[in-house]
Amino acid sequence: ILNVEQSPQSLHVQEGDSTNFTCSFPSSNFYALHWYRWETAKSPEALFVMTLNGDEKKKGRISATLNTKEGYSYLYIKGSQPEDSATYLCAFVYWNNNAGNMLTFGGGTRLMVKP
Amino acid sequence: GAGVSQSPRYKVAKRGQDVALRCDPISGHVSLFWYQQALGQGPEFLTYFQNEAQLDKSGLPSDRFFAERPEGSVSTLKIQRTQQEDSAVYLCASSLGLAGGGEQYFGPGTRLTVT
């Protein structure tokens, strides 16, 4: 059983605050780490797919880092806005020889940004 | 362009009833996944199709769950004799290639409530 954990479970911040959350995953048989944003009543939206140790990706005010040797990834949001309110999910993909590597999700971090 | 669509968006079933959930993936996407998200948890893998072939059904929780993708495009997840523990959001995702860690595109989910 793969253990993917996210912390914190929920987070309340004020508009303009910067924030970050953590995803921890197994450090062996790593293939990829995905970050998704899921707003209520909408489809989960891919933010990043990360594959290389030390990788850092950025999309607007959101960035993510990856450490595959120690098994963690951080997601950062700079200057949070109310529209950033959502559940942020990380998902681990482990290497196997079969096609169709499914995503193993963490429990998510629910972010609420107050105006 | 059109994303992944799912229908119905909401389904209320009485315990013991059979239900069928539909997923229309992005046209041309080879891989299709089903996930189940129980309240307060991250999504969990149910099954994977590569075109019309169901290559992995290890996540299906019981033999009451059945999935098919007969022509390699639309997929149906069927749950027979629904139980209260089947209440969850059922997510479908598709990806272009053989899903070797690449981005998965999600539908909005079907929220199933079993009363």
Side-chain angles (χ1 to χ4, degrees):
Chain A
I1 295 176
L2 299 175
N3 203 22
V4 180
E5 295 187 351
Q6 291 186 247
S7 62
Q9 279 190 324
S10 64
L11 194 54
H12 294 249
V13 302
Q14 287 293 136
E15 182 176 356
D17 288 350
S18 293
T19 187
N20 65 85
F21 352 114
T22 305
C23 172
S24 63
F25 52 86
S27 54
S28 58
N29 296 322
F30 176 87
Y31 193 84
L33 193 283
H34 295 223
W35 281 100
Y36 286 85
R37 176 171 64 196
W38 193 3
E39 294 179 65
T40 304
K42 293 187 178 179
S43 304
E45 172 198 357
L47 292 173
F48 306 111
V49 178
M50 309 180 81
T51 56
L52 299 176
N53 183 44
D55 209 1
E56 182 169 342
K57 296 208 171 184
K58 189 174 180 182
K59 183 186 281 191
R61 295 179 291 100
I62 304 176
S63 60
T65 61
L66 179 68
N67 183 322
T68 61
K69 293 185 178 179
E70 296 182 36
Y72 64 83
S73 175
Y74 294 135
L75 188 80
Y76 300 91
I77 302 179
K78 185 177 177 182
S80 302
Q81 299 296 308
E83 58 264 31
D84 296 330
S85 298
T87 296
Y88 291 82
L89 292 163
C90 72
F92 171 76
V93 183
Y94 69 91
W95 171 255
N96 65 50
N97 291 327
N98 299 321
N101 297 9
M102 78 287 283
L103 302 175
T104 300
F105 285 90
T109 293
R110 187 173 178 189
L111 174 67
M112 283 153 281
V113 182
K114 299 175 192 174
Chain B
V4 178
S5 62
Q6 292 186 245
S7 61
R9 291 290 309 274
Y10 303 92
K11 176 71 179 177
V12 178
K14 290 188 177 177
R15 192 169 58 141
Q17 199 176 352
D18 296 351
V19 298
L21 313 180
R22 177 186 169 108
C23 172
D24 282 82
I26 293 173
S27 178
H29 277 198
V30 170
S31 296
L32 186 145
F33 298 81
W34 283 98
Y35 295 88
Q36 178 193 57
Q37 192 217 12
L39 189 63
Q41 299 180 23
E44 292 189 356
F45 169 77
L46 293 176
T47 188
Y48 163 69
F49 289 87
Q50 185 182 118
N51 296 308
E52 69 279 2
Q54 189 175 20
L55 297 188
D56 190 339
K57 52 183 181 178
S58 61
L60 296 176
S62 78
D63 59 8
R64 296 185 296 104
F65 286 70
F66 172 76
E68 60 183 5
R69 193 186 184 198
E71 296 177 2
S73 55
V74 171
S75 177
T76 304
L77 177 67
K78 297 179 180 177
I79 309 174
Q80 296 177 323
R81 305 180 304 281
T82 51
Q83 303 293 312
Q84 284 192 315
E85 61 263 27
D86 300 335
S87 296
V89 175
Y90 290 85
L91 289 166
C92 173
S94 70
S95 65
L96 182 61
L98 298 179
E103 182 176 341
Q104 295 185 20
Y105 296 83
F106 281 84
T110 294
R111 181 178 293 277
L112 172 66
T113 304
V114 181
T115 60

